Amino acid sequence: MQIVFIVTAAILLTGCRKPASSIHVTETRRLTLHDKVYPGDYKDAPPIGWRRLPGTQFRLINYVAGENDSVEIVVGETQGDLLANANRWLGQFGLSPVESLEFLGRTEMLGKNAYLVEGDGTYSPGMGSPPKEDYAMTGVIRESSFNLITLKMIGPAEEVKKQRDAFFEYMRSFEAIYDHKIDSSVEEAEMETGEERK
Amino acid sequence: MAKKFKEMSLGQRIFRIAAGFEIAVVCLSLLFLLTFFGTIEQRWFGLWTTIHKYFDYNSVFVLPTRGDGKVIFPPLPGAYWVIVVLSLNMFLGGIVRARKGWRKAGVLVSHFAILFMLVAGAVSSVYKEEGNMRVLQGEKSDYAQKLFKHDIEVFAFDEEGDREEPAIIRSKSIKALGKKGELEVSFEKFDFKLEIDRYLPYSELALDSLATQRPNNEEVVDGFFLVKVEKDTKTEERNMPGCYVSIKDENDVLIQRLVLWAGNPYPVTFNYEGKRYGVTYLMEIWPMPFEVELHKTFGENHPGTEIPSWFQSNIVKVDGSNRADYEIVMNEPARHGGYTLYQAGFTRAAEGETPSSTFAVVNNPSDKWPEYALWASAAGLLFHFMAMLVRFIGGSSKKGRSQAPVPDKPSIYQKS
């Protein structure tokens, strides 16, 4: 009977292990096509000082930059009219809406024409958040097949100014990725984006 | 004449018990109870969780419980170990102890085949790997993901902005933490270390705002925080773990605080000594030794329903310079070098979207062993019953001749 008790206790105790408090990782794996997955199949190249945060429903790509991560850089998608969205952005800074797209700056994003929206002043983001003074915005909106693609930078005016060149360099860095596409479907993708595989 | 138990030596007694019918009856009874309670319990805790609780080799003892956590039966030994004992019993009783000879050859083969099938199950339990591979039509994939294991991967970006090979913190190290535990991770590849805390096995990532409530005063990092949620027992792959991590240098100075959530499809990043690093919490990546190109996926639903009646994927498997076409249909998988691809699902695309196929990928060294065991068992039983039939027919004929009466009195029809 004693032997049975000892054996049972030994079996039970083998299941009670305290988890390790530290480990040393040596394991790696080879790269796969998973490591070349990017939002919308576009690879971006942010400046070294930018830090990527988790995305959300409206913020596909979400970066912070500048002192105390005070500047936000967001790539997103939205619906609706391009002019209406541009005026909504201007309205967040208390700026008057523009009557037509002609009043917006022109640039190019993801291989297509895009519009530049800039403003500064007191930023009122809405949704119950308090207004922020001495803020600035640099944004780009582009139409796509189904919706609008936006790239927007907001933060303290001084920090936004410091990041302006990096912002446009980032905008130009987008590169279509075809590694996961079968060769026959690459041609279709190239025709749609206007970009050839590098 | 067989010895009585009391007259046996200790070794003989142990052998007699180990090889006896009693052990087999006890094991089969335990397996019945384990299967019964597992079937009931999976209704509350999900199939995958219950299978692992009852049948995993790490489960030495099992406590049957119901949905509210109340224990409904005394502890039972884990099914894996019951089957180990049963296998040993079958080997000792059904093969070692069994009578040998040509008359018993068929039975011995059948016993060995069944034992082989149990061994196949043990090998599968320890060595089988399985995952899902989802491919969009017109695209290819060279990896699967294991739905119920979530690793943390840490990698550097090279000068081209591409990812370098990641260091992997395995799921089992993270899961062992519990909610209040902390784990310090150092790396062979990197100079910094990573500390994991506040691990939640079932969580969601919430955006902090004035309108958001944080019921447990959860820590906010970069405007996000982790919320504990109830486990989804119906669709277990939807359960997403999360945790907080601190990146520290060798002097324990904080480099960056991050929040990780397995439902986030892309990595978060931090910068250290002029280089950018990514950290991601994701379903374990399982690299495949081949690529699967999905050229076409199609199927049909049962009339009036969204339930597929059949679906098919036309793929090309690329292994180096070798290309092979396959048509994978429900219940007709594709096999290659120990890997089996089953058609697990397909998604019809809404207008403007791309249809996709999901393949269940299994690598099981003992995949075909049960089939071989069944053939061997059938052959053994066939041999045994044929031999019995032959002996029976042969025995009947001999009995017929030898039993003819020999008259000891003259027949009345004989001439005198």
Side-chain angles (χ1 to χ4, degrees), chain B residues 310-327:
Chain B
W310 69 270
F311 36 80
Q312 176 174 325
S313 297
N314 294 349
I315 69 164
V316 174
K317 180 186 61 62
V318 182
D319 183 4
S321 57
N322 298 320
R323 296 176 65 87
D325 292 335
Y326 290 92
E327 290 177 359

Side-chain angles (χ1 to χ4, degrees), chain A residues 8 11-12 14 19-35 37-41 43-56 60 62-63 69 127-130 146 179-182 184-185, chain B residues 60-61 138-143 153 160-170 173 176 182-189 205 210 222 224 256 258 264 266-271 274-276 282 285 287-289 293-295 352:
Chain A
T8 305
I11 291 171
L12 286 172
T14 55
S21 59
S22 67
I23 58 173
H24 184 69
V25 168
T26 58
E27 188 179 359
T28 64
R29 64 164 174 84
R30 69 170 171 82
L31 295 175
T32 67
L33 288 169
H34 176 269
D35 303 292
V37 170
Y38 297 95
D41 294 337
K43 174 186 164 188
D44 63 344
I48 189 67
W50 290 14
R51 191 166 63 82
R52 186 166 183 171
L53 306 186
T56 67
L60 297 179
N62 197 6
Y63 286 102
D69 292 338
M127 304 289 288
S129 295
F146 307 103
D179 294 67
H180 54 290
K181 293 203 182 286
I182 302 171
S184 57
S185 63
Chain B
V60 178
F61 276 97
E139 296 187 359
K140 58 187 176 184
S141 178
D142 61 353
Y143 68 95
E153 293 190 345
E160 306 296 318
D162 294 318
R163 300 188 196 186
E164 296 178 354
E165 289 186 355
I168 305 172
I169 305 170
R170 287 296 181 195
S173 298
E182 294 182 1
L183 179 68
E184 183 181 284
V185 183
S186 57
F187 300 94
E188 188 79 13
K189 283 170 74 80
L205 190 66
L210 289 175
D222 291 331
F224 294 89
Q256 192 66 58
L258 299 170
N264 187 14
Y266 304 107
V268 293
T269 66
F270 66 95
N271 304 312
K275 195 160 183 174
R276 196 156 59 97
L282 75 173
I285 298 292
M288 294 286 113
E293 295 178 357
L294 179 61
H295 287 260

Side-chain angles (χ1 to χ4, degrees), chain B residues 57-278:
Chain B
Y57 62 89
N58 287 311
S59 295
V60 178
F61 276 97
V62 174
L63 209 56
T65 50
R66 64 184 195 195
D68 59 1
K70 187 173 179 183
V71 175
I72 54 176
F73 201 82
L76 295 169
Y80 183 90
W81 297 105
V82 173
I83 294 173
V84 167
V85 171
L86 179 63
S87 302
L88 183 66
N89 172 259
M90 279 201 68
F91 175 70
L92 294 175
I95 296 176
V96 172
R97 191 184 172 202
R99 275 183 278 178
K100 312 294 187 295
W102 282 110
R103 292 188 177 210
K104 298 297 177 184
V107 173
L108 284 174
V109 168
S110 293
H111 282 176
F112 180 79
I114 293 175
L115 189 58
F116 185 65
M117 194 153 57
L118 294 178
V119 170
V123 169
S124 173
S125 179
V126 176
Y127 293 106
K128 184 173 78 170
E129 288 188 275
E130 52 189 342
N132 271 18
M133 174 191 285
R134 181 170 177 262
V135 194
L136 295 176
Q137 183 170 283
E139 296 187 359
K140 58 187 176 184
S141 178
D142 61 353
Y143 68 95
Q145 288 187 273
K146 298 181 182 179
L147 300 183
F148 308 111
K149 294 183 178 180
H150 297 88
D151 299 335
I152 292 176
E153 293 190 345
V154 185
F155 55 90
F157 288 91
D158 64 17
E159 290 175 359
E160 306 296 318
D162 294 318
R163 300 188 196 186
E164 296 178 354
E165 289 186 355
I168 305 172
I169 305 170
R170 287 296 181 195
S171 168
K172 62 180 180 184
S173 298
I174 306 165
K175 275 185 174 178
L177 271 180
K179 190 180 171 185
K180 296 184 179 176
E182 294 182 1
L183 179 68
E184 183 181 284
V185 183
S186 57
F187 300 94
E188 188 79 13
K189 283 170 74 80
F190 308 123
D191 295 333
F192 53 81
K193 59 184 175 181
L194 185 150
E195 290 181 357
I196 305 172
D197 63 88
R198 304 191 191 194
Y199 163 73
L200 291 174
Y202 317 112
S203 65
E204 279 182 3
L205 190 66
L207 193 60
D208 187 43
S209 70
L210 289 175
T212 310
Q213 290 183 353
R214 286 185 282 136
N216 298 309
N217 199 30
E218 291 87 346
E219 179 186 357
V220 177
V221 174
D222 291 331
F224 294 89
F225 63 96
L226 282 177
V227 179
K228 182 183 173 183
V229 297
E230 289 299 312
K231 181 182 175 184
D232 185 339
T233 56
K234 292 192 188 311
T235 318
E236 295 190 55
E237 54 266 35
R238 289 186 185 166
N239 292 309
M240 295 295 169
C243 64
Y244 291 82
V245 300
S246 297
I247 314 292
K248 293 183 177 179
D249 67 13
E250 55 193 11
N251 297 318
D252 264 349
V253 174
L254 180 68
I255 300 168
Q256 192 66 58
R257 181 79 170 151
L258 299 170
V259 58
L260 301 180
W261 183 57
N264 187 14
Y266 304 107
V268 293
T269 66
F270 66 95
N271 304 312
Y272 178 58
E273 292 187 343
K275 195 160 183 174
R276 196 156 59 97
Y277 296 88

Side-chain angles (χ1 to χ4, degrees), chain B residues 2-107:
Chain B
K3 277 186 181 177
K4 287 186 179 175
F5 190 80
K6 288 180 183 177
E7 297 167 356
M8 293 178 182
S9 66
L10 179 61
Q12 286 174 326
R13 288 187 194 182
I14 292 173
F15 179 81
R16 165 62 184 85
I17 293 169
F21 282 117
E22 300 85 355
I23 292 284
V25 169
V26 168
C27 287
L28 289 172
S29 301
L30 286 171
L31 287 174
F32 169 77
L33 288 172
L34 287 161
T35 306
F36 176 76
F37 287 115
T39 305
I40 293 175
E41 207 170 302
Q42 63 88 23
R43 184 172 155 253
W44 291 297
F45 301 109
L47 184 61
W48 186 84
T49 302
T50 308
I51 285 175
H52 273 261
K53 174 181 174 181
Y54 279 78
F55 293 90
D56 196 87
Y57 62 89
N58 287 311
S59 295
V60 178
F61 276 97
V62 174
L63 209 56
T65 50
R66 64 184 195 195
D68 59 1
K70 187 173 179 183
V71 175
I72 54 176
F73 201 82
L76 295 169
Y80 183 90
W81 297 105
V82 173
I83 294 173
V84 167
V85 171
L86 179 63
S87 302
L88 183 66
N89 172 259
M90 279 201 68
F91 175 70
L92 294 175
I95 296 176
V96 172
R97 191 184 172 202
R99 275 183 278 178
K100 312 294 187 295
W102 282 110
R103 292 188 177 210
K104 298 297 177 184
V107 173

